[in-house]
Amino acid sequence: NAGVTQTPKFRILKIGQSMTLQCTQDMNHNYMYWYRQDPGMGLKLIYYSVGAGITDKGEVPNGYNVSRSTTEDFPLRLELAAPSQTSVYFCASSYPRASGRPSTDTQYFGPGTRLTVL
Amino acid sequence: QKEVEQNSGPLSVPEGAIASLNCTYSDRGSQSFFWYRQYSGKSPELIMFIYSNGDKEDGRFTAQLNKASQYVSLLIRDSQPSDSATYLCAVNQGAQKLVFGQGTRLTINP
């Protein structure tokens, strides 16, 4: 298994440009997530999905959009890029186990995309 | 805002000593807690999780949870230079969503 893969690894955008960050997982995980990590900071959740066709906002969704048409893919779209979106973006996935107890599901992270907006 | 707080460090520990990393959280309803390790320029990887009060040991790592004090810690025994990394505390606040602290940068000095 390749696990969680992300493309591209690096990208420089000009202000106002758009792009899509790709994320694919081959572990048949239902849950997928997009985080951003600013320098010296923890991860902040942008969007997440509990299955194909179902997405929801996280803590910092403004300026981003997502879609989930298949179990494997969860692309993140940036419209009208701004310098504040300069960050490292991580995609993650997890498989929910039995309900009725505290969730201890492991999130598996992709290698990240380093985005700079100038 | 439901917060997770960590001392950002850097925390410097001599090789072979015990490294102690701390985390507090604000949401009293939080039920499960995770420690991730992140090497510079890499993605986070899970070290261990805990959801019951007390200690949980896994090799050189021990997680400690005190829900009354809203406090979770990670002890690393016999610290090695390869343990030098940023350690992220994360709290599950429902619907499989994790809230992360800002991370503590740990340096093990040979």
Side-chain angles (χ1 to χ4, degrees):
Chain A
N1 287 352
V4 181
T5 57
Q6 293 182 238
T7 57
K9 287 187 169 56
F10 303 94
R11 183 73 185 268
I12 297 175
L13 282 183
K14 294 182 179 179
I15 294 172
Q17 288 185 319
S18 301
M19 75 165 295
T20 299
L21 283 67
Q22 302 291 346
C23 175
T24 299
Q25 54 91 9
D26 63 358
M27 298 176 282
N28 201 31
H29 285 174
N30 292 31
Y31 286 55
M32 296 187 73
Y33 313 82
W34 274 106
Y35 294 92
R36 60 176 285 174
Q37 185 176 35
D38 297 333
M41 302 297 289
L43 287 82
K44 293 194 181 296
L45 183 65
I46 306 171
Y47 270 95
Y48 69 102
S49 169
V50 301
I54 306 170
T55 62
D56 206 350
K57 295 177 180 178
E59 185 183 355
V60 289
N62 291 346
Y64 307 95
N65 277 302
V66 293
S67 59
R68 184 100 180 268
S69 57
T70 66
T71 298
E72 295 78 19
D73 300 305
F74 190 39
L76 177 71
R77 177 81 177 164
L78 278 72
E79 305 282 1
L80 299 175
S84 60
Q85 294 178 304
T86 293
S87 191
V88 180
Y89 291 82
F90 288 104
C91 179
S93 71
S94 68
Y95 185 81
R97 297 201 185 98
S99 60
R101 63 168 180 78
S103 169
T104 55
D105 303 324
T106 300
Q107 290 192 14
Y108 296 88
F109 286 82
T113 294
R114 188 173 296 273
L115 175 68
T116 302
V117 182
L118 300 174
Chain B
Q1 172 71 19
K2 298 174 181 175
E3 294 183 344
V4 178
E5 299 284 343
Q6 294 181 256
N7 188 327
S8 60
L11 176 65
S12 186
V13 173
E15 184 176 356
I18 296 175
S20 177
L21 304 159
N22 304 315
C23 172
T24 59
Y25 59 95
S26 63
D27 182 7
R28 193 170 282 279
S30 301
Q31 297 189 352
S32 50
F33 309 86
F34 302 77
W35 284 100
Y36 282 80
R37 177 176 60 199
Q38 186 177 26
Y39 292 115
S40 181
K42 302 295 186 183
S43 56
E45 55 180 345
L46 182 70
I47 298 174
M48 62 192 305
F49 61 81
I50 187 168
Y51 57 85
S52 297
N53 275 329
D55 295 359
K56 179 182 178 183
E57 188 174 315
D58 184 359
R60 295 186 297 111
F61 298 95
T62 299
Q64 299 176 317
L65 175 61
N66 184 327
K67 290 185 179 179
S69 300
Q70 295 175 240
Y71 173 93
V72 58
S73 64
L74 180 71
L75 301 178
I76 307 175
R77 289 184 300 282
D78 189 23
S79 297
Q80 303 296 311
S82 59
D83 295 325
S84 296
T86 295
Y87 289 79
L88 300 166
C89 172
V91 176
N92 187 303
Q93 296 186 343
Q96 308 288 333
K97 292 190 292 184
L98 296 181
V99 176
F100 284 82
Q102 71 267 42
T104 297
R105 187 156 55 94
L106 174 66
T107 300
I108 307 299
N109 300 309

Coordinates of all heavy atoms in Angstrom, one line a residue, chain A residues 23-89:
Chain A
C23 N -5.2 14.6 -3.1 CA -5.0 13.6 -2.0 C -5.6 12.3 -2.4 O -6.8 12.3 -2.8 CB -5.5 14.1 -0.7 SG -5.4 12.9 0.6
T24 N -4.9 11.2 -2.3 CA -5.4 9.9 -2.6 C -5.0 8.9 -1.5 O -3.8 9.0 -1.1 CB -4.9 9.4 -4.0 OG1 -5.4 10.3 -5.0 CG2 -5.5 8.0 -4.3
Q25 N -5.9 8.1 -1.1 CA -5.5 7.0 -0.1 C -6.0 5.7 -0.7 O -7.0 5.6 -1.3 CB -6.0 7.3 1.3 CG -7.5 7.5 1.4 CD -8.4 6.3 1.6 OE1 -7.8 5.2 1.9 NE2 -9.7 6.5 1.6
D26 N -5.2 4.6 -0.4 CA -5.5 3.3 -1.0 C -5.7 2.3 0.2 O -5.5 1.1 0.0 CB -4.3 2.8 -1.9 CG -3.0 2.6 -1.1 OD1 -2.9 2.9 0.1 OD2 -2.0 2.2 -1.8
M27 N -6.2 2.8 1.3 CA -6.4 2.0 2.5 C -7.9 1.7 2.7 O -8.3 1.2 3.7 CB -5.8 2.6 3.7 CG -4.3 2.7 3.6 SD -3.5 3.6 5.0 CE -3.9 5.3 4.6
N28 N -8.7 2.2 1.8 CA -10.2 2.1 1.9 C -10.7 2.7 3.2 O -11.7 2.2 3.8 CB -10.6 0.6 1.8 CG -12.0 0.4 1.4 OD1 -12.6 1.2 0.6 ND2 -12.7 -0.6 1.9
H29 N -10.1 3.8 3.5 CA -10.6 4.6 4.7 C -11.8 5.4 4.4 O -11.8 6.1 3.4 CB -9.5 5.5 5.3 CG -8.4 4.7 6.0 ND1 -7.2 5.3 6.4 CD2 -8.3 3.4 6.3 CE1 -6.5 4.4 7.0 NE2 -7.1 3.2 7.0
N30 N -12.8 5.4 5.3 CA -14.0 6.2 5.1 C -13.7 7.7 5.3 O -14.2 8.6 4.6 CB -15.1 5.8 6.1 CG -15.6 4.4 5.8 OD1 -14.9 3.6 5.3 ND2 -16.9 4.2 6.1
Y31 N -12.9 8.0 6.4 CA -12.7 9.4 6.8 C -11.5 10.0 6.2 O -10.4 9.3 6.2 CB -12.6 9.4 8.3 CG -13.9 9.2 9.1 CD1 -14.7 8.1 8.9 CD2 -14.3 10.2 10.0 CE1 -15.8 7.9 9.6 CE2 -15.5 10.0 10.7 CZ -16.2 8.9 10.5 OH -17.4 8.7 11.2
M32 N -11.6 11.2 5.7 CA -10.4 11.9 5.2 C -10.5 13.4 5.7 O -11.6 13.9 6.0 CB -10.4 11.9 3.7 CG -10.2 10.4 3.1 SD -9.9 10.3 1.4 CE -8.2 10.9 1.2
Y33 N -9.3 14.0 5.8 CA -9.2 15.3 6.4 C -8.1 16.1 5.6 O -7.2 15.6 5.1 CB -8.6 15.1 7.8 CG -9.3 14.1 8.7 CD1 -8.9 12.7 8.6 CD2 -10.3 14.4 9.6 CE1 -9.6 11.8 9.3 CE2 -10.9 13.5 10.4 CZ -10.5 12.1 10.2 OH -11.2 11.2 11.0
W34 N -8.3 17.4 5.7 CA -7.3 18.4 5.2 C -7.0 19.3 6.4 O -7.8 19.9 7.1 CB -7.8 19.2 4.1 CG -7.6 18.6 2.8 CD1 -8.6 18.0 2.0 CD2 -6.4 18.5 2.0 NE1 -8.0 17.5 0.8 CE2 -6.7 17.8 0.8 CE3 -5.1 18.8 2.3 CZ2 -5.7 17.5 -0.1 CZ3 -4.1 18.6 1.4 CH2 -4.4 17.9 0.2
Y35 N -5.6 19.4 6.7 CA -5.1 20.3 7.7 C -4.1 21.2 7.0 O -3.5 21.0 6.0 CB -4.3 19.5 8.7 CG -5.1 18.5 9.6 CD1 -5.3 17.2 9.2 CD2 -5.7 19.0 10.8 CE1 -6.0 16.3 10.0 CE2 -6.4 18.1 11.6 CZ -6.5 16.8 11.2 OH -7.2 15.9 12.0
R36 N -3.9 22.4 7.7 CA -2.8 23.3 7.3 C -2.0 23.5 8.6 O -2.5 23.4 9.7 CB -3.3 24.6 6.8 CG -4.2 25.4 7.7 CD -4.5 26.8 7.1 NE -3.3 27.7 7.1 CZ -3.3 28.9 6.6 NH1 -4.4 29.3 5.9 NH2 -2.2 29.6 6.6
Q37 N -0.7 23.6 8.4 CA 0.3 23.8 9.5 C 1.1 25.0 9.1 O 1.9 24.9 8.2 CB 1.1 22.6 9.7 CG 2.0 22.7 10.9 CD 2.8 21.4 11.2 OE1 3.2 20.7 10.3 NE2 3.0 21.1 12.5
D38 N 1.0 26.1 9.9 CA 1.8 27.2 9.7 C 3.1 27.0 10.5 O 3.1 26.2 11.5 CB 1.1 28.5 10.2 CG -0.2 28.7 9.4 OD1 -0.2 28.3 8.2 OD2 -1.2 29.3 9.9
P39 N 4.2 27.7 10.2 CA 5.5 27.5 10.8 C 5.4 27.6 12.4 O 4.8 28.6 12.9 CB 6.3 28.7 10.3 CG 5.7 29.0 8.9 CD 4.2 28.8 9.1
G40 N 5.9 26.6 13.0 CA 6.0 26.6 14.5 C 4.6 26.3 15.2 O 4.5 26.5 16.4
M41 N 3.7 25.9 14.4 CA 2.3 25.8 14.9 C 1.8 24.3 14.8 O 2.4 23.5 14.0 CB 1.3 26.7 14.2 CG 1.7 28.2 14.3 SD 1.7 28.8 16.0 CE 0.0 28.8 16.3
G42 N 0.7 24.0 15.4 CA 0.1 22.7 15.2 C -0.7 22.7 14.0 O -0.7 23.6 13.2
L43 N -1.5 21.7 13.8 CA -2.3 21.5 12.6 C -3.7 22.0 12.9 O -4.3 21.8 14.0 CB -2.4 20.0 12.3 CG -1.2 19.4 11.7 CD1 -0.2 19.0 12.7 CD2 -1.6 18.2 10.8
K44 N -4.3 22.7 11.9 CA -5.6 23.2 12.0 C -6.5 22.5 10.9 O -6.1 22.5 9.7 CB -5.7 24.7 11.9 CG -5.0 25.4 13.1 CD -5.4 26.9 13.1 CE -4.7 27.6 14.3 NZ -5.1 27.1 15.5
L45 N -7.6 22.0 11.3 CA -8.5 21.3 10.4 C -9.2 22.3 9.5 O -9.9 23.2 9.9 CB -9.5 20.5 11.2 CG -10.5 19.6 10.4 CD1 -9.7 18.5 9.7 CD2 -11.5 19.0 11.3
I46 N -9.1 22.0 8.2 CA -9.8 22.8 7.2 C -11.2 22.3 6.8 O -12.2 22.9 6.9 CB -8.9 23.0 5.9 CG1 -7.5 23.4 6.2 CG2 -9.6 23.9 4.9 CD1 -6.6 23.4 5.0
Y47 N -11.2 21.0 6.3 CA -12.4 20.3 5.9 C -12.1 18.8 6.3 O -11.0 18.4 6.3 CB -12.7 20.4 4.4 CG -13.5 21.6 4.0 CD1 -12.9 22.8 3.6 CD2 -14.9 21.5 4.1 CE1 -13.7 23.9 3.2 CE2 -15.7 22.6 3.7 CZ -15.1 23.8 3.3 OH -15.8 24.9 2.9
Y48 N -13.2 18.1 6.4 CA -13.2 16.7 6.5 C -14.3 16.0 5.9 O -15.3 16.7 5.5 CB -13.1 16.3 8.0 CG -14.3 16.5 8.8 CD1 -15.2 15.4 9.1 CD2 -14.6 17.8 9.3 CE1 -16.3 15.7 9.9 CE2 -15.8 18.0 10.1 CZ -16.6 16.9 10.4 OH -17.7 17.1 11.1
S49 N -14.2 14.7 5.7 CA -15.2 13.9 5.0 C -15.4 12.6 5.7 O -14.4 11.9 6.0 CB -14.9 13.8 3.5 OG -15.7 12.8 2.9
V50 N -16.6 12.2 5.9 CA -16.9 10.9 6.5 C -17.2 9.8 5.5 O -17.5 8.7 5.9 CB -18.0 11.0 7.6 CG1 -17.6 12.0 8.7 CG2 -19.3 11.4 7.0
G51 N -17.2 10.2 4.2 CA -17.5 9.2 3.2 C -17.8 9.9 1.9 O -17.9 11.1 1.8
A52 N -17.8 9.2 0.8 CA -18.0 9.7 -0.5 C -19.3 10.5 -0.5 O -20.4 10.1 0.0 CB -18.1 8.7 -1.6
G53 N -19.2 11.8 -1.0 CA -20.4 12.6 -1.1 C -20.7 13.4 0.1 O -21.7 14.2 0.1
I54 N -20.0 13.2 1.2 CA -20.2 13.9 2.5 C -19.0 14.7 3.0 O -17.9 14.0 3.2 CB -20.6 12.9 3.6 CG1 -21.8 12.0 3.1 CG2 -21.0 13.6 4.9 CD1 -22.1 10.8 4.0
T55 N -19.1 16.0 3.1 CA -18.0 16.8 3.6 C -18.6 17.8 4.6 O -19.8 18.1 4.6 CB -17.3 17.6 2.4 OG1 -18.3 18.5 1.8 CG2 -16.8 16.6 1.3
D56 N -17.7 18.3 5.4 CA -18.1 19.3 6.4 C -16.9 20.2 6.7 O -15.7 19.8 6.5 CB -18.6 18.6 7.7 CG -19.5 19.5 8.4 OD1 -19.7 20.7 8.1 OD2 -20.2 19.0 9.4
K57 N -17.2 21.4 7.2 CA -16.2 22.4 7.5 C -15.5 22.0 8.8 O -16.0 21.5 9.8 CB -16.8 23.7 7.7 CG -17.4 24.3 6.4 CD -18.1 25.6 6.6 CE -18.7 26.1 5.3 NZ -19.4 27.4 5.5
G58 N -14.2 22.4 8.9 CA -13.4 22.3 10.1 C -13.3 23.6 10.7 O -14.2 24.5 10.6
E59 N -12.1 23.9 11.3 CA -11.9 25.1 12.1 C -11.6 26.3 11.2 O -12.0 27.5 11.5 CB -10.7 24.9 13.0 CG -10.4 26.0 14.0 CD -9.2 25.7 14.8 OE1 -8.6 24.6 14.7 OE2 -8.7 26.6 15.6
V60 N -10.9 26.1 10.0 CA -10.5 27.2 9.2 C -10.8 27.0 7.7 O -10.0 26.9 6.8 CB -8.9 27.4 9.3 CG1 -8.6 28.0 10.7 CG2 -8.2 26.1 9.1
P61 N -12.1 26.9 7.3 CA -12.5 26.6 6.0 C -12.5 27.7 5.0 O -12.6 27.5 3.8 CB -14.0 26.1 6.2 CG -14.5 26.9 7.3 CD -13.3 27.1 8.2
N62 N -12.5 29.0 5.4 CA -12.6 30.1 4.5 C -11.5 30.1 3.5 O -10.3 30.1 3.8 CB -12.6 31.4 5.3 CG -13.9 31.6 6.1 OD1 -14.9 30.8 5.9 ND2 -13.9 32.5 7.0
G63 N -11.9 30.3 2.2 CA -10.9 30.3 1.1 C -10.6 29.0 0.5 O -9.8 28.9 -0.5
Y64 N -11.3 27.9 1.0 CA -11.1 26.6 0.5 C -12.4 25.9 0.1 O -13.4 26.3 0.7 CB -10.4 25.7 1.5 CG -9.1 26.3 2.1 CD1 -9.1 27.1 3.3 CD2 -7.9 26.1 1.5 CE1 -8.0 27.6 3.8 CE2 -6.7 26.7 2.0 CZ -6.8 27.4 3.1 OH -5.6 28.0 3.7
N65 N -12.3 24.9 -0.8 CA -13.4 24.1 -1.1 C -13.0 22.6 -1.3 O -11.8 22.4 -1.6 CB -14.2 24.5 -2.3 CG -15.1 25.7 -2.0 OD1 -16.0 25.5 -1.2 ND2 -14.9 26.8 -2.7
V66 N -13.8 21.7 -1.0 CA -13.5 20.3 -1.2 C -14.7 19.6 -1.9 O -15.8 20.1 -1.9 CB -13.2 19.6 0.2 CG1 -12.0 20.1 0.8 CG2 -14.4 19.7 1.1
S67 N -14.3 18.4 -2.3 CA -15.3 17.5 -2.9 C -14.9 16.0 -2.6 O -13.7 15.8 -2.3 CB -15.5 17.7 -4.4 OG -14.3 17.5 -5.0
R68 N -15.8 15.1 -2.5 CA -15.4 13.7 -2.3 C -16.3 12.9 -3.1 O -17.4 12.4 -2.7 CB -15.6 13.4 -0.8 CG -15.1 12.0 -0.4 CD -13.8 11.9 0.2 NE -13.4 10.5 0.5 CZ -13.6 10.0 1.7 NH1 -14.2 10.6 2.6 NH2 -13.1 8.8 1.9
S69 N -15.9 12.6 -4.3 CA -16.7 11.8 -5.3 C -16.4 10.3 -5.1 O -17.2 9.5 -5.5 CB -16.5 12.3 -6.7 OG -15.2 12.2 -7.1
T70 N -15.2 10.0 -4.6 CA -14.9 8.6 -4.4 C -14.3 8.4 -3.0 O -13.9 9.3 -2.4 CB -13.8 8.1 -5.5 OG1 -12.6 8.8 -5.2 CG2 -14.2 8.4 -6.9
T71 N -14.2 7.1 -2.6 CA -13.6 6.8 -1.3 C -12.1 7.2 -1.3 O -11.6 7.7 -0.3 CB -13.8 5.3 -1.0 OG1 -15.1 5.0 -0.9 CG2 -13.1 5.0 0.4
E72 N -11.5 7.1 -2.4 CA -10.0 7.2 -2.5 C -9.5 8.7 -2.5 O -8.5 9.0 -2.0 CB -9.4 6.5 -3.7 CG -9.6 5.0 -3.7 CD -11.0 4.6 -4.1 OE1 -11.8 5.4 -4.7 OE2 -11.4 3.4 -3.8
D73 N -10.3 9.6 -3.1 CA -9.8 10.9 -3.5 C -10.5 12.0 -2.7 O -11.7 12.0 -2.5 CB -9.9 11.2 -5.0 CG -9.2 10.2 -5.8 OD1 -8.0 10.0 -5.6 OD2 -9.8 9.5 -6.7
F74 N -9.7 13.0 -2.3 CA -10.3 14.1 -1.5 C -9.5 15.4 -1.9 O -8.6 15.8 -1.1 CB -10.2 13.8 0.0 CG -10.9 14.7 0.9 CD1 -12.2 15.2 0.5 CD2 -10.4 15.1 2.1 CE1 -12.9 16.1 1.4 CE2 -11.1 16.0 3.0 CZ -12.3 16.5 2.6
P75 N -9.8 16.0 -3.0 CA -9.0 17.2 -3.4 C -9.4 18.4 -2.7 O -10.6 18.6 -2.3 CB -9.4 17.3 -4.9 CG -10.7 16.6 -5.0 CD -10.8 15.5 -4.0
L76 N -8.5 19.3 -2.5 CA -8.7 20.6 -1.8 C -8.5 21.7 -2.8 O -7.4 21.8 -3.4 CB -7.7 20.8 -0.6 CG -7.8 22.1 0.1 CD1 -9.1 22.2 0.9 CD2 -6.6 22.3 1.0
R77 N -9.5 22.5 -3.0 CA -9.4 23.6 -4.0 C -9.2 25.0 -3.3 O -9.9 25.3 -2.3 CB -10.7 23.6 -4.8 CG -10.9 24.7 -5.8 CD -10.1 24.4 -7.1 NE -10.3 25.4 -8.1 CZ -9.6 25.5 -9.2 NH1 -8.6 24.6 -9.4 NH2 -9.8 26.4 -10.1
L78 N -8.2 25.7 -3.8 CA -8.0 27.1 -3.3 C -8.4 28.0 -4.4 O -7.9 27.9 -5.6 CB -6.5 27.3 -3.0 CG -5.9 26.9 -1.7 CD1 -5.8 25.4 -1.6 CD2 -4.5 27.6 -1.5
E79 N -9.3 28.9 -4.1 CA -9.8 29.9 -5.1 C -9.2 31.2 -4.6 O -9.2 31.5 -3.4 CB -11.3 30.0 -5.1 CG -12.0 28.7 -5.3 CD -12.0 28.3 -6.8 OE1 -11.5 29.0 -7.6 OE2 -12.6 27.3 -7.1
L80 N -8.7 32.0 -5.6 CA -8.2 33.3 -5.3 C -7.2 33.3 -4.2 O -7.4 33.8 -3.1 CB -9.4 34.3 -4.9 CG -10.4 34.5 -6.0 CD1 -11.6 35.3 -5.5 CD2 -9.8 35.1 -7.2
A81 N -6.0 32.7 -4.4 CA -5.0 32.5 -3.4 C -4.6 33.8 -2.8 O -4.4 34.8 -3.5 CB -3.8 31.8 -4.0
A82 N -4.3 33.8 -1.5 CA -3.9 34.9 -0.7 C -2.6 34.6 0.1 O -2.4 33.4 0.4 CB -5.0 35.4 0.3
P83 N -1.8 35.6 0.4 CA -0.6 35.3 1.2 C -0.8 34.5 2.5 O 0.0 33.7 2.9 CB 0.1 36.7 1.4 CG -0.4 37.5 0.2 CD -1.8 37.0 0.0
S84 N -2.0 34.8 3.1 CA -2.4 34.1 4.3 C -2.5 32.6 4.2 O -2.6 31.9 5.2 CB -3.6 34.7 4.9 OG -4.7 34.5 4.0
Q85 N -2.6 32.1 2.9 CA -2.7 30.7 2.7 C -1.4 30.0 2.5 O -1.3 28.8 2.2 CB -3.6 30.4 1.5 CG -5.1 30.9 1.7 CD -6.0 30.7 0.5 OE1 -5.7 31.2 -0.6 NE2 -7.1 29.9 0.7
T86 N -0.3 30.8 2.6 CA 1.0 30.2 2.6 C 1.1 29.3 3.8 O 1.0 29.7 5.0 CB 2.1 31.3 2.7 OG1 2.1 32.0 1.4 CG2 3.5 30.7 2.8
S87 N 1.4 28.0 3.6 CA 1.4 27.0 4.7 C 1.8 25.6 4.1 O 2.0 25.5 2.9 CB 0.0 26.9 5.3 OG 0.0 26.2 6.5
V88 N 1.9 24.7 5.0 CA 2.1 23.3 4.6 C 0.7 22.6 4.8 O 0.1 22.7 5.9 CB 3.2 22.6 5.4 CG1 3.3 21.1 4.9 CG2 4.5 23.3 5.2
Y89 N 0.3 21.9 3.8 CA -1.0 21.3 3.8 C -0.9 19.8 3.9 O -0.2 19.2 3.1 CB -1.8 21.6 2.5 CG -2.2 23.1 2.5 CD1 -1.3 24.1 2.1 CD2 -3.5 23.5 3.0 CE1 -1.7 25.4 2.1 CE2 -3.9 24.8 3.0 CZ -3.0 25.8 2.6 OH -3.3 27.1 2.6

